[in-house]
């Protein structure tokens, strides 16, 4: 058995819109994801989060599942439209009551609650006033963050501001494959800036209110050249790395926006949203950085290629389809990417505690005779945990691992077809069944170690 460090924390993660359902209960207002999912053609199979896993009503059972897995931490997100349905203005106490109950339930079972304040469910009234493309949204976000802190801060120690600003900005406002579904590169960059500003303002406001442990959750890309010997591919890597990683991590970690990215963003219009004083706010020190990792990204320089709208201004770059094993999302399975990411960020920021706030895989699971034999997922988790062990041994400060996800859930534009859970959800009955991977994860957590032999391919 190869053990993990004594204080290494095991957990699982979820997000509000993906599991809660109950979208009109107790005064919750509409979010951009309600609007988007109810717009025909936006989400696979026309799925919406209206009911999802009905976690809003079944949270006790779900916390019991976390406890059965033996987990020490649970990462959830707070739905802004439950707490401030108008996006600004009156607080909806009934919405906060839900998170109050959830946090108490977790703590009664010795599970540390880790709260994310924004996992993509912007109140629709704010989108109607410009959404993340306007500064006002960043300011309203910091106000909302404090409201949540004031209610839960006596029991929740660890806070994250945003989940994956890259997705909110580029998928939401650039390619439009996520809510609010806008397709405008200039809007994507303005949104990114205001997301980062909202993060910085919220860190400051939370600190002032008394919070001691505040961070950000990002999904850095591990960008690799299709041809390691090609200088043109190396340039493509530099641009995509800039658009995905440096344009976020540099300002957040105090280095300011990279010059090449400022020039790149300027191609799409004046950066009239930029105020030099913002960089200081965005760089407000954080206490932890959460990393979500799923798969590496490959790029190749191809004159004439249309690029990807997920990376505004990436014309001339091709994103080749993965070779080798992929998940049900079509994402390449490659744990070396996780090790590479942790080495890079850990090497760069040796004093910043890192968490793996999401890692996992979708597979076409089937419930047969009361059992889900998800060997592929076990192998995925096993491989990625071995990568974590390797970098821990090199001295990278990784504090914990949170599997995505506790439950099968609403996988955004992919709807319910993509199953990421350790626990299978039969949506018509809402019955939960821990998959084989849940039993495997429980035994790893109990042993605080991986088995000597890696999980074998089927
Ligand atoms: C991440 C999201 C999370 C989930 C996984 C699969 O980008 O943060 O909500 O959808 O991908």
């Amino acid at each position: 058995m190869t053990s993990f460090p004594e204080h290494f924390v095991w957990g699982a993660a979820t997000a509000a819109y993906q599991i809660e359902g109950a979208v009109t209960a107790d005064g919750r207002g509409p979010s951009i994801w309600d609007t988007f999912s109810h717009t025909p053609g936006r989400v696979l199979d026309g799925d919406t989060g209206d009911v999802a896993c009905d976690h809003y009503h079944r949270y006790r059972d779900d916390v019991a599942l976390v406890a059965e897995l033996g987990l020490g931490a649970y990462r959830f997100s707070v739905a802004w439209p439950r707490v401030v349905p108008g996006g600004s203005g009156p607080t909806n106490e009934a919405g906060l009551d839900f998170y109050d109950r959830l946090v108490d339930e977790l703590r009664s079972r010795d599970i540390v609650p880790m709260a994310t304040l924004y996992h993509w469910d912007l109140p629709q009234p704010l989108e109607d006033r410009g959404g993340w493309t306007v500064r006002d949204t960043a300011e309203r976000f910091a106000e909302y963050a404090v409201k949540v802190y004031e209610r839960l801060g006596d029991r929740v120690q660890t806070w994250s501001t945003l989940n994956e600003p890259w997705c909110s900005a580029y998928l939401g406002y650039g390619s439009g494959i996520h809510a609010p579904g806008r397709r405008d590169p200039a809007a994507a960059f303005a949104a990114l800036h205001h997301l980062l500003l909202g993060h910085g303002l919220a860190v400051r406001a939370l600190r002032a209110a008394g919070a001691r442990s505040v961070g950000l959750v990002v999904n850095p890309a591990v960008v690799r050249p299709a041809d390691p010997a090609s200088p043109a591919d190396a340039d493509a890597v530099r641009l995509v790395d800039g658009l995905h990683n440096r344009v976020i991590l540099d300002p957040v970690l105090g280095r300011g926006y990279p010059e090449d990215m400022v020039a790149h963003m300027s191609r799409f219009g004046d950066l009239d949203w930029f105020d030099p004083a913002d960089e200081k706010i965005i760089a407000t020190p954080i206490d932890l950085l959460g990393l979500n990792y799923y798969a590496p990204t490959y790029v190749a320089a191809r004159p004439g290629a249309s690029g990807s709208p997920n990376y505004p201004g990436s014309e001339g770059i091709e994103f080749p389809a993965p070779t080798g094993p992929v998940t049900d999302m079509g994402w390449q399975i490659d744990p070396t990417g996780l090790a590479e990411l942790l080495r890079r960020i850990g090497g760069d920021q040796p004093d910043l505690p890192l968490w793996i706030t999401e890692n996992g895989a979708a597979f076409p699971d089937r419930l047969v005779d009361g059992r889900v034999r998800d060997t592929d997922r076990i192998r995925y988790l096993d491989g990625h945990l071995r990568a974590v062990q390797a970098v821990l041994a090199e001295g990278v400060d990784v504090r914990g691992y949170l599997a995505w996800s506790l439950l099968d859930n609403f996988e955004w534009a992919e709807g319910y077809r993509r199953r990421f859970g350790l626990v299978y959800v039969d949506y018509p009955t809402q019955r939960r069944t821990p998959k084989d991977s849940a039993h495997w994860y429980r035994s790893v957590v109990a042993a605080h170690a991986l088995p000597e032999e890696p999980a074998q391919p089927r």
Side-chain angles (χ1 to χ4, degrees):
M1 303 279 265
T2 30
S3 292
F4 283 81
E6 196 186 334
H7 297 292
F8 192 82
V9 176
W10 300 98
T14 62
Y17 189 71
Q18 296 183 274
I19 62 167
E20 286 178 0
V23 290
T24 55
D26 302 327
R28 180 187 180 278
S31 78
I32 55 174
W33 269 98
D34 296 281
T35 309
F36 188 79
S37 65
H38 280 269
T39 306
R42 295 299 209 172
V43 175
L44 196 64
D45 300 334
D47 287 340
T48 75
D50 288 2
V51 179
C53 306
D54 194 29
H55 170 77
Y56 190 78
H57 299 113
R58 296 167 194 265
Y59 71 94
R60 273 203 185 85
D61 296 345
D62 294 338
V63 172
L65 290 167
V66 181
E68 275 164 37
L69 288 169
L71 302 180
Y74 174 67
R75 173 176 177 244
F76 64 97
S77 80
V78 177
W80 187 350
R82 284 197 198 282
V83 177
V84 189
S88 63
T91 308
N92 176 37
E93 297 298 333
L96 281 171
D97 290 346
F98 169 67
Y99 298 103
D100 220 66
R101 296 192 292 274
L102 174 64
V103 164
D104 284 346
E105 190 68 21
L106 288 162
R107 285 169 47 94
S108 75
R109 291 177 175 272
D110 292 326
I111 301 159
V112 171
M114 297 178 73
T116 302
L117 288 157
Y118 184 73
H119 202 126
W120 307 353
D121 41 4
L122 185 72
Q124 183 63 41
L126 290 183
E127 178 57 28
D128 297 341
R129 304 206 300 261
W132 286 109
T133 67
V134 300
R135 197 174 185 89
D136 181 65
T137 299
E139 286 162 7
R140 301 293 77 79
F141 175 63
E143 273 170 20
Y144 144 75
V146 170
K147 289 180 182 195
V148 181
Y149 180 80
E150 280 170 351
R151 178 66 91 86
L152 305 178
D154 56 338
R155 285 154 295 146
V156 175
Q157 242 100 69
T158 308
W159 296 87
S160 300
T161 53
L162 310 173
N163 179 72
E164 301 187 356
W166 178 83
C167 292
S168 297
Y170 295 175
L171 306 185
Y173 294 84
S175 65
I177 64 169
H178 279 185
R182 288 171 62 178
R183 296 188 183 133
D184 171 1
F189 292 125
L192 183 66
H193 179 69
H194 295 121
L195 281 151
L196 298 181
L197 180 65
H199 155 75
L201 290 170
V203 175
R204 290 188 169 189
L206 290 164
R207 283 258 165 70
R212 293 280 156 272
S213 182
V214 189
L216 171 70
V217 172
V218 290
N219 63 322
V222 173
V223 192
R224 294 173 173 166
D227 173 3
S230 153
D233 284 9
D235 288 344
V237 168
R238 178 149 180 86
L239 177 64
V240 172
D241 180 67
L243 284 167
H244 201 124
N245 301 325
R246 290 182 291 114
V247 78
I248 293 172
L249 290 173
D250 282 11
V252 167
L253 298 173
R255 297 188 282 261
Y257 284 112
E259 266 172 41
D260 63 328
M261 284 296 112
V262 174
H264 184 85
M265 294 191 282
S266 307
R267 281 178 44 198
F268 299 93
D270 289 344
L271 310 185
D272 50 5
W273 36 262
F274 181 72
D275 175 342
D278 292 351
E279 281 186 328
K280 262 222 172 72
I281 299 172
I282 294 172
T284 306
I286 50 177
D287 307 295
L288 66 146
L289 185 66
L291 306 175
N292 297 348
Y293 172 81
Y294 291 93
T297 303
Y298 284 85
V299 297
R302 291 274 178 278
S306 59
S308 164
N310 295 341
Y311 293 96
S314 61
E315 296 76 23
I317 296 179
E318 193 177 272
F319 293 78
T323 50
V326 295
T327 70
D328 204 25
M329 298 290 280
W331 297 347
Q332 185 168 13
I333 301 173
D334 185 354
T336 67
L338 179 56
E340 192 177 317
L341 179 68
L342 290 167
R343 280 189 192 110
R344 173 178 173 184
I345 297 189
D348 197 36
Q349 298 290 318
D351 298 327
L352 183 61
L354 304 179
W355 285 75
I356 295 153
T357 32
E358 287 180 26
N359 176 239
F363 289 108
D365 302 317
R366 289 194 317 131
L367 181 66
V368 179
D369 300 331
R371 187 166 164 200
V372 179
R373 293 174 160 81
D374 57 339
T375 330
D376 290 337
R377 185 171 290 102
I378 294 175
R379 204 146 45 89
Y380 182 99
L381 297 172
D382 180 281
H384 286 75
L385 283 168
R386 278 173 212 278
V388 175
Q389 269 191 332
V391 300
L392 281 165
E394 295 163 19
V396 179
D397 185 6
V398 187
R399 299 289 172 97
Y401 176 92
L402 312 179
W404 183 269
S405 178
L406 175 66
L407 302 168
D408 290 337
N409 60 46
F410 176 79
E411 177 46 37
W412 309 113
E414 304 282 315
Y416 295 101
R417 255 203 247 174
R418 310 285 178 243
R419 294 180 174 273
F420 273 93
L422 294 167
V423 175
Y424 185 91
V425 177
D426 177 57
Y427 294 105
T429 61
Q430 288 293 345
R431 195 169 302 126
R432 276 75 161 137
T433 307
K435 302 176 189 175
D436 282 6
S437 59
H439 301 299
W440 177 86
Y441 192 45
R442 188 208 292 123
S443 67
V444 169
V445 171
H448 206 62
L450 284 166
E452 209 64 67
E453 288 297 315
Q456 291 305 314
R458 261 192 303 197

